[in-house]
Amino acid sequence: MAGILKGDFVALTQKEGAPFYTRGNYGYPQSGGSFELDLIEATYLVECGRLEVTSEGRTMRFDELFCHSSSVHEDFDIRYIVYRDIRQRGCIVRNECGEYDMTMYERGKNISNSRPQYYVRAVSERSSTDIASFKDQIQETQGRGRQLLYAVVDEEGDLGYYVMSKVNPRGNVSDRVCGTHRGRLVRDRVFVFDPDSCKALNGASFYGKIISGVLQLSIIEACHLMRSGSLEVEGPDGLMDLESLIAYGRSVQEEFDMRMSAYTDLRGRGLVVKAGFKYGTHFRVYEDSPDDCHARYLIHSVPASTVTMWPEISRIVRLSMGVKKDILFCRVTDRTEYMIFKWVRP
C-alpha cells in the first residue's frame, strides 16, 4: 500500500485505505471515499513494512518519516513509543487531540463494536506533573465511564503503565473513646502510664502502641484525642491546651497540618491509622482491627497542588505492590480526596 505525505497526515485512496480501516482500525474516512492516516499511524505502518509513504514523488525511509513527524508534533517520540507498544500488545489505540493523547480499546475489541477502555496520557519519566491535574482528569474520565491510564516512557524507551482513579476508603472501627484520660508529653510522643487508660485508648479503637505496659501516642494521635475531649496532655509546664500541642507538633514534624488533616479524615471514615515510616509513606491504614487483618492502604498526603516527578510516583507505587497494599495519595484541600495509583499491564 502507498500513501502521500501531506504535511501532518498521509493521504490514501479508498482502495488503499479501506483495508487498513476495516481490518486494523487505522485511519479516518474522508468525504469522497479517501482516507487519512495521522503521522503516528503512518510511521508505525512504515516500520512494520505494510505501507510506503511518498513525498514529492520519492519514497520516504522510516527514519525520514519519523524525523519529519517529530518536527511537526511536540513529544512525537514519546507518543510513538506508547502507540507502538499498545499496538504490539494487540490492542486498538486511536490518537486524540486535547487533554488526552490516545484512547485505548480492550484487547479483542475495536472501534465499531465497543467503547474505549482507557483515556491515555503519554509522558516522559523526566516530566513533572501537578497532582491537582490528576484530580481533574480522573473526575472527567470517570464521569465518562472510562479509566485514566498514564504511559510513562523511560530514557531507554521502556514503559510503565499506571491506572489512576478516585476512591472513598472506609473502615469499621469507631474512633470514639469513653472517658477522659491523661498523658505526658516527652519529646515527640505522648506517654500514657495508667493501665486502665491504656486499655481504654488502645483496646477498641487501637490508638498508639503499648510497650512494657505503657501506651505511646504520636502527637497527631494525641491532638485528635484532645479535640474529641478524650485526652489531657501534661507538658513541662503543666496541662497543655490543644492549640499549644498543635503548635508544638508543627515545631517537631514537617507538614504537620497536612498530616493532621489526613489523619482526622481517615479516622472519621472508620479506619485505623498507624505510622507508615517503614514503608516510606505517611500512614498505613487498616479497615478493621490490626490484630485481625493486614493494612489495606498506604497513605501519602500531599497539598492541594504539588509538583512531583514520575520516578517518585513509580517508586512508591512499586513499593506498595511489593508489600501487597494499595497506595493512596491523599490530596488535602477544604475537602480531602483520595486517588489510587496502580501499576498495570495492558
Side-chain angles (χ1 to χ4, degrees):
M1 298 294 181
I4 301 174
L5 179 64
K6 302 244 179 168
D8 62 352
F9 68 93
V10 171
L12 299 173
T13 65
Q14 182 178 19
K15 179 181 178 180
E16 294 166 327
F20 283 129
Y21 183 75
T22 56
R23 297 173 192 171
N25 293 274
Y26 295 100
Y28 304 85
Q30 305 297 307
S31 59
S34 63
F35 289 83
E36 290 182 1
L37 297 172
D38 62 45
L39 290 178
I40 291 181
E41 292 176 311
T43 303
Y44 177 70
L45 290 168
V46 168
E47 181 189 0
C48 295
R50 299 170 59 189
L51 177 71
E52 288 186 354
V53 173
T54 61
S55 176
E56 298 179 349
R58 186 179 66 85
T59 300
M60 300 182 73
R61 301 190 309 269
F62 167 76
D63 62 305
E64 293 175 322
L65 183 57
F66 186 93
C67 290
H68 168 79
S69 302
S70 298
S71 70
V72 173
H73 294 298
E74 186 178 3
D75 296 331
F76 175 85
D77 57 326
I78 298 297
R79 295 179 63 178
Y80 181 76
I81 290 171
V82 174
Y83 179 92
R84 179 181 186 274
D85 185 75
I86 294 174
R87 275 287 186 177
Q88 292 187 343
R89 290 173 182 270
C91 298
I92 301 300
V93 58
R94 303 284 282 180
N95 293 294
E96 300 291 340
C97 298
E99 187 70 23
Y100 307 103
D101 297 316
M102 305 169 195
T103 51
M104 175 180 165
Y105 294 77
E106 189 177 352
R107 185 177 285 104
K109 305 290 186 180
N110 57 53
I111 59 175
S112 64
N113 64 14
S114 65
R115 302 174 68 185
Q117 181 182 16
Y118 297 112
Y119 287 118
V120 183
R121 289 295 312 277
V123 297
S124 166
E125 67 159 332
R126 295 192 184 93
S127 64
S128 59
T129 187
D130 190 336
I131 292 292
S133 67
F134 292 154
K135 179 254 184 183
D136 295 334
Q137 292 167 11
I138 290 170
Q139 186 169 321
E140 181 178 348
T141 55
Q142 289 188 329
R144 297 181 183 181
R146 309 287 185 274
Q147 291 181 285
L148 175 61
L149 181 71
Y150 266 84
V152 185
V153 182
D154 72 12
E155 61 185 8
E156 294 183 343
D158 290 331
L159 281 117
Y161 292 95
Y162 301 89
V163 169
M164 302 179 189
S165 57
K166 286 180 66 177
V167 294
N168 289 299
R170 297 287 176 184
N172 306 304
V173 179
S174 172
D175 66 340
R176 297 187 181 278
V177 174
C178 295
T180 300
H181 309 274
R182 179 167 293 194
R184 173 78 181 188
L185 176 64
V186 179
R187 290 175 59 85
D188 60 352
R189 280 167 288 180
V190 172
F191 291 80
V192 178
F193 297 96
D194 179 71
D196 291 336
S197 293
C198 293
K199 183 176 179 180
L201 293 167
N202 182 256
S205 298
F206 307 101
Y207 287 103
K209 184 175 183 178
I210 295 178
I211 299 178
S212 299
V214 178
L215 180 65
Q216 299 183 29
L217 299 168
S218 71
I219 294 179
I220 285 179
E221 287 178 306
C223 287
H224 181 74
L225 289 164
M226 283 187 73
R227 183 175 282 126
S228 66
S230 302
L231 182 69
E232 295 176 342
V233 174
E234 184 179 354
D237 301 318
L239 286 178
M240 302 177 70
D241 58 23
L242 177 59
E243 289 71 21
S244 297
L245 186 59
I246 289 175
Y248 182 78
R250 290 169 180 157
S251 72
V252 298
Q253 188 176 94
E254 294 182 356
E255 302 172 330
F256 181 83
D257 290 311
M258 183 177 65
R259 296 186 190 202
M260 183 77 224
S261 295
Y263 180 91
T264 300
D265 185 76
L266 290 163
R267 267 293 186 176
R269 292 170 175 266
L271 296 158
V272 177
V273 187
K274 297 294 184 180
F277 172 78
K278 63 183 177 182
Y279 299 110
T281 59
H282 291 149
F283 305 112
R284 68 185 194 276
V285 173
Y286 300 80
E287 294 177 312
D288 219 315
S289 164
D291 298 329
D292 300 327
C293 66
H294 294 288
R296 168 72 186 279
Y297 302 113
L298 299 178
I299 305 290
H300 197 74
S301 51
V302 296
S305 181
T306 185
V307 174
T308 188
M309 302 296 291
W310 277 103
E312 179 182 356
I313 293 175
S314 176
R315 185 164 50 250
I316 197 169
V317 171
R318 290 302 183 104
L319 183 150
S320 67
M321 290 175 55
V323 293
K324 298 180 180 179
K325 305 182 193 316
D326 291 330
I327 177 68
L328 303 186
F329 283 80
C330 173
R331 183 170 176 262
V332 178
T333 63
D334 54 345
R335 184 181 64 183
T336 306
E337 300 169 314
Y338 299 89
M339 295 177 288
I340 187 169
F341 286 52
K342 286 189 175 183
W343 177 83
V344 296
R345 189 187 300 275

